[in-house]
Amino acid sequence: MEQKSPRVTSGADLSVEIAGLRLRNPVMTASGTFASGREYADFVDLSRLGAVVTKGVSPMAWTGNESPRVAETFGGMLNSIGLQNPGVEAFCAGDLVWLGSQDVPVVVNVCGHSVEDYVRVVERLEDEPGVAAYEVNISCPNVDAGGMAFGTSCAPAGAVTAALRSVTKRPLIVKLSPNVTDITEIARAVEGAGADAVSLVNTLLGMAIDAETRRPKLARVVGGLSGPAIKPVALRMVWQVARAVGVPVIGVGGIMNGADAVEFLLAGAAAVQVGTANFADPTSTMRVVDGLAEYCARHGVGRVSDLTGALEE
Amino acid sequence: MEQKSPRVTSGADLSVEIAGLRLRNPVMTASGTFASGREYADFVDLSRLGAVVTKGVSPMAWTGNESPRVAETFGGMLNSIGLQNPGVEAFCAGDLVWLGSQDVPVVVNVCGHSVEDYVRVVERLEDEPGVAAYEVNISCPNVDAGGMAFGTSCAPAGAVTAALRSVTKRPLIVKLSPNVTDITEIARAVEGAGADAVSLVNTLLGMAIDAETRRPKLARVVGGLSGPAIKPVALRMVWQVARAVGVPVIGVGGIMNGADAVEFLLAGAAAVQVGTANFADPTSTMRVVDGLAEYCARHGVGRVSDLTGALEE
Amino acid sequence: MSCAALDAGSHPLLERVEVLANDRVAEGVGLIALHAPRIAAAVEPGQFVHLRIATGADFLLRRPFSVHRAGGETIEILYQVLGRGTLDLAGKTRGDVMDAIGPLGTGWDIPDGIAHILLVAGGLGAAPLGMLAERLSARGVAVSVAQGAPTSERLVARELFESVARRVEVATDDGSAGERGFVTVVSERLLQTDRPDLVCVCGPEIMARAVAAQAARAGVPCRVSLERLMACGIGACLSCVVTTSHGRKRACVDGPVFDAEEVCWDGAEVPPRH
Amino acid sequence: MSCAALDAGSHPLLERVEVLANDRVAEGVGLIALHAPRIAAAVEPGQFVHLRIATGADFLLRRPFSVHRAGGETIEILYQVLGRGTLDLAGKTRGDVMDAIGPLGTGWDIPDGIAHILLVAGGLGAAPLGMLAERLSARGVAVSVAQGAPTSERLVARELFESVARRVEVATDDGSAGERGFVTVVSERLLQTDRPDLVCVCGPEIMARAVAAQAARAGVPCRVSLERLMACGIGACLSCVVTTSHGRKRACVDGPVFDAEEVCWDGAEVPPRH
Ligand SMILES: Cc1cc2nc3c(=O)[nH]c(=O)nc-3n(C[C@H](O)[C@H](O)[C@H](O)COP(=O)(O)OP(=O)(O)OC[C@H]3O[C@@H](n4cnc5c(N)ncnc54)[C@H](O)[C@@H]3O)c2cc1C
Ligand SMILES: Cc1cc2nc3c(=O)[nH]c(=O)nc-3n(C[C@H](O)[C@H](O)[C@H](O)COP(=O)(O)OP(=O)(O)OC[C@H]3O[C@@H](n4cnc5c(N)ncnc54)[C@H](O)[C@@H]3O)c2cc1C
Ligand SMILES: Cc1cc2nc3c(=O)[nH]c(=O)nc-3n(C[C@H](O)[C@H](O)[C@H](O)COP(=O)(O)O)c2cc1C
Ligand SMILES: Cc1cc2nc3c(=O)[nH]c(=O)nc-3n(C[C@H](O)[C@H](O)[C@H](O)COP(=O)(O)O)c2cc1C
Ligand code: FES
Ligand code: FES
C-alpha cells in the first residue's frame, strides 16, 4: 500500500453530482468502517471528504453478534458485526448532532428487519435537517431477518425501495449485495422502484476456520468478506450495473488508493467508498482523494466526472 | 507461503473414497491449472497425488479467448483462457495415453456449449479404460454459450447431469459455480439428477483495469478470479453444500498448503483440489499432501477422512 | 493521571516509529524497542498501540500491542510470536520503520489512595503490567506480583517485577520455577497474606476470570485487561466488543481494562493460542 | 545446440538461487546476478527463468525474465522496474534467496552455417540478445547490432554489444545518441549494408513487427522473441498463447522465440508499459 502522500492540489474539478447531491469529490466513507467519523477526525480532515456514510441505523438499538466478530483473511477480512447500533433516536441525539458541526454531507445508512423497520428509520430522520441522503442497506450478510434477504431477490428489494420512496424526497441510494447470480436484475428492480442511485458492493459471504482449534474464526461462523481481495468482483459488478441502469453507481470494494478509485470510475462509477482500507491506514480516504487529484493532473483530466465510464474496451 | 517441506511419512491413513473411487489421499489437481500433469512431472511425483483432474475437454478443438488471458490481482489472479483444448479425439490420442503410463487416477474435466456437447465427450471417453471419473464443468465463466450458464440455475444444471448419468456408470462429479445466490439449490439439483459428487468452487467472475492505459487487463474484459483471495468464499460454500447434500463434496479455492486443505475438510469436504497455487510453486500439491500428513500426525488423527465435517461449531 | 484516551484533552496519534532494537527474550517471545517520542510522552500504563507491521503491497490489518515500558522517546513492546503479524514483527531490525496509532485505550487508571496493589500476570499478560509496576512503586505504592507461565524461561519481565515489587511469587506448569501449577494458586495466597486494596490482572481470559472470582470472594476490587480481535483500534468498527453489565463496550476505547465485576464472562475471548 | 526446453533430454529445474549483486544500470533498470549453478549450466541464449520474487505470506505469481548472460555458476538478469514484482526485485540485496524455474523456452536456436547475423534490440529487448551476441561471436559469426532506446542512458548492454559485435548502430527517441528516432531506421539500413543471413529481434511488439516486415522485404529470415503474461511458465495454463499460422502456441514452451513469418500479429501483446 502507498504511504501517506502529501496533499495534491491540482486544477482538476473533483466535484461530482449524485442524485441531485453535489459532492466536493467522489470519495465517501463505506458504512460501518468509519462510524460517524468522530473517531477518525484525529487523522482525517472530514471537510475534504465527498461525504460521510454512517454506520447502519435501525429503529431500535441492536446489540449485534457475539465475538469474535472479525477475522483476517488473505488480502482482506471477514466481519460479522451484525449492525450493532444504538437505534435511530440515540443516533439523532448523538452522532447526528456532532456531524451537524462538521462541514461534510451526511449519508445515513439505514437497516431493518422488515420493510416497516426501514420506513420507521427514514420517517424519523425526515425531521432532521442534517441528512443529505439515505443509503439503504439491503445487503448485510450478518443479520438473520432482513439484511441480505432483501437484497438477493428483486421483489423484496423493490418493495423496500418503493416504501422508502413514498416517505422521502431525499436522495435514496440502495446498497446492493454481491451474493447474487445477476446483480443487474436487482439494480434494475430498485431503479424501477425509485432509487436515485445504487452503491455496490456490500461484503461477500465468507467463512474462516482455525485448523488448530477446529473452530470457525467467527462466533457467527460466517461473515462478510471485504478488502482488496474482493476488488475484482466489485469492479466487475460495477461495470455490469453501470451498463444496466440509468442512475449513478457508487463503487465500493477493496479501494486502497487513488488508482483503485480511478479503476472504479472507469468501470462506470460516479463516486466511490473506502472501507476496510481505513483500518490499515486511517488516512486512506485522504490518500484516495490526493491520488485522484494527482491522476487527473498527470493525465490532464479536467473534470473527474469525465472518468466515469471512460474505460476503453 | 511455506517453503517446500520435506516429505512427511506419518502413520495416518490418508486414503479417501469418493463416489466409489479410492484415492491414495484427498489431494487432487484443479482443472486447467495442471494440464494433464506432464509439464509438472519434473516437479511433482504424480503417484503421490490423489488424482489428476485434466484441463476441460470438449467434443471439438476450442481455440479459447484472445490474449491477455491472465491478470494478477490482490491475493489472486484472473484468467480468461476460455477452455482452449484440442478436443476429445486429440485428448484420447495424446494426454490420455501419456496418463495411462502414470500411476494416478485420471479425472477428465468435461465441457461443452450444449447438453449434446457434454454427452458426446463422455460417450467418446466411455471407450477409454484409463478414465477413473468425470468432472463436469458447468461453471466456466469464460465461454459465452454453455459454461457458467449451465451452472447458475437448477434446471439446466440438472439436465446436463441427468443426460450424462444416462450414458455413464462412472463416477460423475459436477463442478459448481460460486456466482450464484444459493449454491445449495444447484447442488441439490445435480444430486437429484444423479451426480455422485460435487466439486466447488470454480472461479468468481471478476475484472481488472489498468488505470494508466484505461483498458481492461483481460482481452475478454471479465475473467475468473482464483487464488487465496477467494478462499473464504469457497470455504463458506463448501460448508453450506456439505450440509445440504448427501454426496461427497470436493473443496477447491485458494488452497496453498496443508492447513488450507484441513480447513476445507473440516468444513465438510471429502477431498480437495489445488489450482492457482501450482503457478506460484509447482510443488504445491506435494506440500499440501505433506502438510496434511504432518497435521494428522501432530493431532493424532488416524484417518484423514475423520476430519471431514469435524468443524466444532 | 491515566484515562488518557478518554479525557477530551488527549487524542491518539499516528506516529512513524523506528526500530531501535529487537531481541529474543524467551522461546517465541521478543522485546522490541521503538523510537516513538510523541506516543512515549503521552502513554499511560495499560494503554496500547495499534501497529502497522506490513509494508509495501502486502495487505495486513494492524496488530494491537500493550506498551510494556515507556521512557524518554522510547516505547517497548513485549510480543509473543503467534502468526503472520508477529512473525513479521520478529523479523524487524534496527532502522526498520513502521507506523503506530497510540496511545490507545483506557489504561489501568489507578485511583489515588491505593497503598498496596496485587498484579497478576499470566504468560504475556505481564506485558501491560510492567509499566504499571514501575510507575506505582515510584509513587510509593506497595506492589506484589503473582506471575505464571508454562516454564521458568517464559516468566517474561520477571527481573523488572523483582526490581520494583515488594514481593514476586511465581508458578509454572512444569514446576521449573516456583509452584508447579497455575498462577491462581499464588494469587489466592497473596490475596490472603498481602491484603491488597486493588488487584490488576492480565492473561488468558479463563485465568483472569478465576482471579476476578478470588478477588470478589476476598472483597478486593479487581481490574482486568481483556484482549479482543481489533480491526480499527480507535472505536469505529465494533469488532472488539466486550459484554458488560452496562451493555457491549469496545475493548479498544472503553477498555482494554475493565472493572472485573462489570464483565460478563461470555467466552468471547480470542481463540486459545498455539 | 539450443532448443533445450524442447529436446526430450533437458527439463526445467526448480532451483534455489541466491543474489550475488543487484545494481542499477540506468533509470529504472537494474542488473541482478544470481548464483544458479544448475540453470547457468543448462541455459541457452533466448531462454528465460520464471522467478519467484515474493517471500513469506505474500502471494505473487512468478515473473519471467530472460537470461541476459550466463557464465560459470551465475546468471544475470537485466530488468526494468514496472510494477509490484520488479519493484520487489529491485529491493533484493546480496544474500537474498529466491527460487527460479528454468531454463525455459526455446531460445534463439541459431542453425549452423549462419555467417552474419543482425540483432535488433528495442529497450529491454536487449536482455535476451546479450548472451546470444557473446556466444555467436565466440562461434565466429559476424554480429551486427541495431539498438534503440528512449535516451542514450537507456541503451542497456551497449558495452556488451560493442565488445563482441562487428558493428553497433543506435537510435534514441531524443537523439541523445545515434539517430534521432526509432531503431527501425537503423535496422533498415543495416539490412541493406550488412546483408545478414538472419535477423533476431526483441523489443516492443510493434517494433518487432516492423523489423519483421523489413526482413521479409529484404528476403532475410527473421526470429522474434515475444512477451506474454505468464502464469505457470511451463506450458500448463495456456495463459501465454501467441497466434501463429500453425494455431495458438504457448510463448513459454513453444516460444518465446518464433519465426517471424509464422506469427499472426494480432495485437495481443502485453499492454504498453508506463
Ligand atoms: C489491547 C491488546 C493488547 C495486546 N497486547 C499484546 C502484547 O503486549 N503482547 C503480545 O504478544 N500480544 C498482545 N496482544 C495480542 C496480539 O495483538 C496478537 O497476539 C497479535 O495480533 C497476533 O497477530 P499475528 O498476526 O501474529 O497472529 P494471527 O495470525 O493474527 O493470529 C494468531 C493467533 O493470535 C490470535 N490473535 C490475533 N489477533 C489478536 C488480537 N488482536 N488480540 C488477541 N489475540 C489475537 C488469533 O486469534 C490467533 O489465535 C494484545 C491484544 C490486544 C487486543
Ligand atoms: C519470456 C519473457 C521474458 C522476459 N524478459 C524480461 C527481461 O529480461 N527483463 C525485463 O525487465 N522484463 C522481462 N519480461 C517482462 C517481465 O516479465 C515483466 O516486466 C514483469 O513480469 C513485470 O512484473 P511487475 O510485477 O513488475 O509488473 P506488473 O505490475 O505485473 O505489470 C506492470 C506492467 O508490466 C506488464 N507485464 C506484467 N507481467 C508481464 C509479463 N510476464 N510479460 C510482459 N509484460 C508483463 C504488465 O502488462 C504491466 O503493463 C519478460 C517477459 C517474458 C514473457
Ligand atoms: C467492519 C465492517 C462493518 C460494516 N458495516 C456495514 C454497515 O453497517 N452497513 C453497510 O451497508 N455496510 C457495512 N459494511 C460493508 C462496507 O460498507 C463495504 O460495503 C464493504 O466492506 C466493501 O468495501 P471495502 O472492501 O472497502 O471494505 C461493513 C464492512 C466492514 C468491514
Ligand atoms: C488458468 C486457469 C484455468 C482454469 N481452467 C479450468 C477448466 O478448464 N475447467 C474447470 O472446471 N476449471 C478451471 N479453472 C478453475 C480451477 O479449476 C479452480 O476451480 C479455481 O481456479 C479455484 O481454485 P484455485 O483458487 O485453487 O485456483 C481454471 C483456473 C485457472 C486459474
Ligand atoms: S477495534 Fe474497532 S471498535 Fe475496537
Ligand atoms: S505460462 Fe502457462 S502455458 Fe505458458
Side-chain angles (χ1 to χ4, degrees), chain B residues 1 42 63 66 69 72 280, chain D residues 11 56 61-63 238 248:
Chain B
M1 232 176 315
D42 293 320
T63 57
E66 295 302 316
R69 291 176 163 190
E72 191 169 51
Chain D
H11 292 281
L61 291 172
R62 287 171 184 268
R63 299 292 192 262
L238 305 182
R248 288 198 159 130

Side-chain angles (χ1 to χ4, degrees), chain C residues 63-64 66 78-80 82-83 85-86 127 227-229 270 273:
Chain C
R63 298 292 192 263
S66 305
L78 197 57
Y79 62 93
Q80 179 172 16
L82 284 167
T86 46
E227 285 190 2
R228 290 291 183 272
L229 296 178
V270 166
R273 314 300 181 69

Side-chain angles (χ1 to χ4, degrees), chain A residues 72 210, chain C residues 48 62-67 77-87 124 127-128 225-230 256 270-274:
Chain A
E72 191 169 52
D210 183 330
Chain C
F48 67 96
R62 287 170 184 270
R63 298 292 192 263
F65 296 96
S66 305
V67 174
I77 290 169
L78 197 57
Y79 62 93
Q80 179 172 16
V81 176
L82 284 167
R84 198 172 159 192
T86 46
L87 266 174
L124 261 285
S225 179
L226 300 177
E227 285 190 2
R228 290 291 183 272
L229 296 178
M230 294 181 171
V270 166
R273 314 300 181 69
H274 21 84

Side-chain angles (χ1 to χ4, degrees), chain A:
Chain A
M1 236 175 311
E2 307 168 0
Q3 266 318 305
K4 229 192 309 180
S5 62
R7 172 174 181 169
V8 178
T9 42
S10 89
D13 172 8
L14 292 186
S15 71
V16 295
E17 190 180 312
I18 299 210
L21 207 64
R22 259 249 158 256
L23 306 179
R24 204 172 274 118
N25 63 57
V27 183
M28 314 178 176
T29 61
S31 179
T33 65
F34 206 75
S36 292
R38 201 194 294 226
E39 293 77 5
Y40 280 92
D42 293 320
F43 312 104
V44 170
D45 174 356
L46 296 185
S47 74
R48 292 188 56 218
L49 287 171
V52 165
V53 181
T54 70
K55 172 76 181 164
V57 176
S58 54
M60 295 296 170
W62 286 2
T63 57
N65 297 313
E66 296 301 316
S67 297
R69 291 176 163 190
V70 286
E72 191 169 52
T73 66
F74 213 109
M77 66 179 282
L78 291 163
N79 89 83
S80 58
I81 307 299
L83 299 176
Q84 176 181 337
N85 81 96
V88 67
E89 277 311 329
F91 173 76
C92 293
D95 286 354
L96 196 54
V97 174
W98 182 83
L99 279 164
S101 69
Q102 303 298 311
D103 170 26
V104 64
V106 176
V107 177
V108 179
N109 183 272
V110 179
C111 57
H113 291 319
S114 64
V115 173
E116 296 62 40
D117 278 359
Y118 287 97
V119 170
R120 279 173 58 200
V121 174
V122 168
E123 280 180 335
R124 172 63 184 84
L125 289 164
E126 283 293 290
D127 314 333
E128 300 290 337
V131 178
Y134 303 107
E135 179 177 62
V136 187
N137 178 7
I138 56 168
S139 44
C140 181
N142 295 321
V143 292
D144 296 325
M148 202 166 86
F150 285 104
T152 51
S153 47
C154 296
V160 177
T161 310
L164 294 177
R165 179 75 295 166
S166 67
V167 297
T168 184
K169 299 207 156 20
R170 285 175 172 164
L172 208 53
I173 304 162
V174 178
K175 187 164 182 181
L176 306 181
S177 170
N179 302 294
V180 294
T181 306
D182 179 1
I183 194 168
T184 64
E185 275 182 8
I186 316 282
R188 274 189 296 260
V190 300
E191 178 183 38
D196 300 302
V198 290
S199 54
L200 56 141
V201 294
N202 206 314
T203 53
L204 283 155
L205 191 62
M207 178 177 179
I209 294 173
D210 183 330
E212 294 301 316
T213 62
R214 295 193 181 187
R215 284 163 50 184
K217 287 192 174 180
L218 297 175
R220 189 182 154 81
V221 183
V222 296
L225 183 64
S226 63
I230 72 167
K231 193 182 80 172
V233 175
L235 209 49
R236 182 262 300 182
M237 289 185 166
V238 164
W239 177 74
Q240 290 178 315
V241 170
R243 289 144 47 108
V245 298
V247 295
V249 175
I250 300 166
V252 51
I255 295 176
M256 307 289 284
N257 54 48
D260 293 333
V262 170
E263 290 166 28
F264 275 86
L265 297 178
L266 293 171
V272 297
Q273 295 178 354
V274 178
T276 299
N278 294 303
F279 303 151
D281 175 3
T283 70
S284 293
T285 49
M286 297 293 99
R287 281 193 299 100
V288 173
V289 172
D290 293 338
L292 267 177
E294 183 272 330
Y295 179 95
C296 290
R298 190 156 46 83
H299 289 262
V301 176
R303 298 203 314 287
V304 77
S305 54
D306 295 341
L307 291 173
T308 296
L311 184 68
E312 290 164 17
E313 288 170 46

Side-chain angles (χ1 to χ4, degrees), chain B residues 120-136:
Chain B
R120 280 173 59 199
V121 174
V122 169
E123 280 179 334
R124 172 63 183 85
L125 289 165
E126 284 292 290
D127 315 333
E128 300 291 335
V131 177
Y134 302 108
E135 180 178 61
V136 188

